[in-house]
C-alpha cells in the first residue's frame, strides 16, 4: 500500500504541477477563455488513463495462463522502463518544466484553440498512463490488491489536495527534496516489479530457471506472515527468488541508482557553480539555480 500510495502521490503531484502551470499561464496571458478547452484535454487524459487501467485489470482474463504470464511479464518490464524514464526526466527537466510548458502554451495558442485540448491531454495523459501501468504491475505482484489500489487512490487524492494548496499559497512544500527521495524509493520498488516480471516470463517458459530458487528465506520470512505481506506489497519481495530474478534486481538497482546519484551530484555541482559565479557573468543562472527539481510554489503563483 505504501508503494502504490507514493506512486500515486508522486505522479499526481507531477500532473498537478503541470495543470497548475498551464492554468496560471493562460490567466497571465488573459486567455481564460481557453481554460475550458484545457480542462477538456485533462478530462480526456483521465478517461484514457482509467481505460488503460481497466484494460490491464480485466483484459487478460480471456487469455490462456501462459499468455497471461507473458503479458504480465512484458508489461511489468515496460512499467519499469517508463517509471525509470520518468525519474530521470524529472531530474533533468524539472528546473525548466515551467518554461517549457509556457513555450508549449504559446505555440498552441498560435496554432489553434483545439491545440490547447491536445496539450492538456498529452501533458497529463503521460502521467496517467504511467500511473496506471506501474500501479497495475505493483498490484499484480502483491498479495493485497485491494489495499494496494486504495493506496494509489489515496496518493492521487493527497496530490490533488497538495497541488491545490500550492496554487493558492496555502501549502509550503519542498518539491526538490520530495522528488529526489521518492526517486530513490521508486528505483527500489521498480527493481521488485522487474524481478516479478522476470518471474512471470520464467513461469511461462520464456526465460529458463523457474522452480530452481537461488535460496530460501521461508524460515525467516514465512509465507503469509505480516512481514511477507508488507515486503511483498511494497517491494514485490519473494522469499524464494530464482537466479534470474536476483541478477535482474541487483543489476537494475546497481546501474540505475548509480546513474541517478551521479545525476544528482552533477546537478548539485552545477547549482553551486551557478551560485558562486559573478552576477555580471551569469545573472540569469544565479537567479534560477539548476538545483531546483520542480517548479516552486512562488513560480506557479507568480504567473497568475
Amino acid at each position: 500500500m505504501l508503494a502504490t500510495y507514493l506512486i500515486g502521490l508522486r505522479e499526481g503531484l507531477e500532473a498537478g504541477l503541470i495543470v497548475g502551470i498551464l492554468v496560471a499561464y493562460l490567466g497571465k496571458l488573459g486567455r481564460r477563455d481557453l481554460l475550458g478547452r484545457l480542462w477538456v484535454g485533462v478530462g480526456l487524459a483521465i478517461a484514457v488513463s482509467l481505460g488503460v487501467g481497466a484494460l490491464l485489470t480485466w483484459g487478460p482474463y480471456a487469455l490462456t495462463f501462459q499468455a497471461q504470464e507473458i503479458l504480465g511479464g512484458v508489461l511489468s518490464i515496460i512499467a519499469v522502463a517508463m517509471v525509470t524514464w520518468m525519474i530521470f526526466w524529472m531530474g533533468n527537466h524539472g528546473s525548466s518544466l515551467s518554461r517549457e510548458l509556457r513555450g508549449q502554451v504559446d505555440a498552441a495558442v498560435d496554432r489553434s484553440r483545439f491545440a490547447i485540448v491536445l496539450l492538456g491531454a498529452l501533458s497529463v495523459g503521460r502521467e496517467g498512463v504511467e500511473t496506471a501501468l506501474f500501479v497495475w504491475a505493483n498490484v499484480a505482484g502483491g498479495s493485497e490488491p485491494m489495499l494496494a489500489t486504495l493506496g494509489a487512490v489515496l496518493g492521487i487524492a493527497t496530490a490533488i489536495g497538495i497541488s491545490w494548496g500550492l496554487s493558492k499559497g496555502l501549502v509550503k512544500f519542498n518539491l526538490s527534496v520530495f522528488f529526489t527521495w521518492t526517486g530513490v524509493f521508486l528505483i527500489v520498488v521498480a527493481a521488485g516489479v522487474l524481478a516479478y516480471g522476470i518471474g512471470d516470463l520464467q513461469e511461462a517458459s520464456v526465460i529458463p530457471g523457474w522452480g530452481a530458487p537461488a535460496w530460501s528465506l521461508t524460515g525467516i520470512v514465512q509465507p503469509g506472515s505480516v512481514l511477507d505481506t508488507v515486503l511483498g506489497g511494497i517491494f514485490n519481495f519473494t522469499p524464494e527468488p530464482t537466479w534470474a530474478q536476483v541478477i535482474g534486481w541487483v543489476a537494475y538497482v546497481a546501474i540505475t541508482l548509480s546513474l541517478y546519484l551521479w545525476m544528482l551530484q552533477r546537478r548539485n555541482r552545477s547549482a553551486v557553480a551557478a551560485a558562486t559565479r559573478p552576477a555580471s557573468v551569469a545573472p540569469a543562472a544565479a537567479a534560477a539555480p539548476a538545483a531546483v527539481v520542480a517548479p516552486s510554489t512562488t513560480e506557479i503563483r507568480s504567473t497568475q
Side-chain angles (χ1 to χ4, degrees):
M1 182 174 179
L2 176 61
T4 53
Y5 176 82
L6 286 178
I7 293 168
L9 178 60
R10 181 185 171 107
E11 294 284 356
L13 271 178
E14 287 187 24
L17 289 172
I18 290 172
V19 172
I21 291 170
L22 294 176
V23 170
Y25 190 57
L26 283 175
K28 182 179 179 181
L29 292 176
R31 299 305 305 270
R32 292 188 175 274
D33 58 303
L34 297 177
L35 286 177
R37 296 178 185 272
L38 174 64
W39 287 115
V40 169
V42 172
L44 289 174
I46 294 173
V48 169
S49 302
L50 291 174
V52 170
L55 182 63
L56 291 172
T57 301
W58 292 293
Y61 284 110
L63 303 175
T64 64
F65 174 78
Q66 184 180 31
Q68 289 184 36
E69 295 300 298
I70 293 175
L71 179 63
V74 170
L75 289 179
S76 294
I77 293 173
I78 292 175
V80 171
M82 290 183 68
V83 78
T84 304
W85 175 84
M86 176 269 293
I87 291 170
F88 281 93
W89 184 90
M90 196 64 185
N92 283 314
H93 296 274
S95 60
S96 60
L97 178 61
S98 181
R99 182 174 65 253
E100 292 177 6
L101 287 173
R102 291 197 296 267
Q104 292 175 14
V105 170
D106 291 335
V109 171
D110 291 339
R111 287 198 304 269
S112 166
R113 291 190 173 188
F114 288 101
I116 294 292
V117 177
L118 182 61
L119 176 61
L122 293 178
S123 299
V124 178
R126 183 194 66 189
E127 311 296 337
V129 172
E130 284 179 359
T131 303
L133 185 56
F134 198 61
V135 167
W136 172 85
N138 192 274
V139 168
S143 57
E144 297 290 343
M146 291 300 297
L147 285 178
T149 303
L150 178 61
V153 172
L154 291 176
I156 294 172
T158 304
I160 293 173
I162 292 175
S163 299
W164 179 84
L166 286 172
S167 67
K168 300 299 182 182
L170 301 176
V171 176
K172 291 184 178 181
F173 196 70
N174 193 324
L175 294 170
S176 177
V177 173
F178 172 80
F179 283 115
T180 295
W181 287 107
T182 54
V184 174
F185 179 80
L186 287 181
I187 286 173
V188 180
V189 173
V193 173
L194 175 63
Y196 173 79
I198 292 173
D200 271 356
L201 294 178
Q202 286 185 297
E203 199 167 1
S205 300
V206 175
I207 299 176
W210 182 251
W215 56 69
S216 177
L217 298 177
T218 54
I220 301 174
V221 183
Q222 297 181 359
S225 65
V226 175
L227 182 59
D228 179 55
T229 301
V230 171
L231 292 177
I234 298 176
F235 301 110
N236 275 280
F237 169 83
T238 174
E240 295 184 329
T242 65
W243 277 113
Q245 289 177 304
V246 172
I247 293 172
W249 192 97
V250 172
Y252 175 83
V253 171
I255 295 173
T256 308
L257 189 58
S258 296
L259 290 174
Y260 183 67
L261 294 177
W262 174 80
M263 180 191 70
L264 295 179
Q265 188 178 38
R266 185 187 62 176
R267 191 187 68 205
N268 290 336
R269 284 200 302 264
S270 298
V272 172
T276 57
R277 192 175 302 148
S280 58
V281 176
V292 179
V293 183
S296 64
T297 305
T298 304
E299 183 181 7
I300 297 173
R301 296 180 64 204
S302 64
T303 58
Q304 293 179 322

